Amino acid sequence: MKISPNNSCPCGSTKKYKKCCKPFHNGTFPNTAVELMKSRFCAYAIKNAEYIIGTTHKTNQDFSNDTFAWSNSILDFCEATDFLHVDILEQIDGEIESFVTFKANLIQNGIDASFIEKSRFLKEENKWFYVDGTFED
């Protein structure tokens, strides 16, 4: 999905994309794990597989050196999914490790595919990475 910089940001904030997640997608590092999580949700919504790959920690189970296949897998998921918005439920901030619990509101093939996840993030060389997450009820 192409998005105009003046459109509302897909992460669900009230800001325009150009003032919200676009700077992160253009190379500015998020300052917090919440910013990274929201910018990753936005990246899925606009089918920016490169950003997802670049912000995934190397210990994540989906991490692959075959970025072509990984990118195609991400894009297939994005094509089959409508990313409605994300709700932050809890955040636990740390210096190098943080946790964000969120609800991703999604539709896949006309069916509600929303989920709640507690995600773990690590900060390495002043950059946050998504490590892993657990689904919650």
Side-chain angles (χ1 to χ4, degrees):
M1 166 175 113
K2 271 294 223 195
I3 182 170
S4 165
N6 289 315
N7 283 10
S8 296
C9 191
C11 77
S13 76
T14 57
K15 298 177 185 176
K16 292 180 180 180
Y17 174 60
K18 69 181 179 184
K19 297 282 188 182
C20 193
C21 292
K22 188 177 191 313
F24 304 131
H25 297 162
N26 288 342
T28 300
F29 298 150
N31 292 317
T32 67
V34 169
E35 286 181 340
L36 177 60
M37 196 283 310
K38 291 179 81 170
S39 65
R40 284 174 57 90
F41 181 89
C42 179
Y44 277 108
I46 65 170
K47 301 174 180 67
N48 184 344
E50 183 179 331
Y51 186 76
I52 299 301
I53 290 169
T55 57
T56 302
H57 195 269
K58 62 185 173 276
T59 61
N60 180 282
Q61 68 180 4
D62 294 328
F63 188 90
S64 173
N65 288 321
D66 183 353
T67 55
F68 181 78
W70 187 10
S71 178
N72 284 336
S73 175
I74 291 168
L75 293 174
D76 287 345
F77 172 71
C78 293
E79 286 292 329
T81 307
D82 291 323
F83 297 84
L84 305 178
H85 61 93
V86 63
D87 300 313
I88 306 300
L89 305 177
E90 180 183 39
Q91 63 190 70
I92 302 169
D93 295 320
E95 292 287 319
I96 60 168
E97 182 178 47
S98 291
F99 297 88
V100 179
T101 303
F102 65 92
K103 180 177 182 183
N105 297 279
L106 314 173
I107 301 290
Q108 288 180 324
N109 302 317
I111 299 169
D112 183 359
S114 301
F115 62 88
I116 296 174
E117 178 180 317
K118 182 176 184 177
S119 294
R120 183 167 64 108
F121 299 86
L122 288 177
K123 192 173 192 179
E124 294 182 352
E125 297 179 14
N126 211 33
K127 182 178 176 186
W128 285 103
F129 293 91
Y130 170 72
V131 179
D132 54 27
T134 56
F135 293 107
E136 301 194 349
D137 294 330

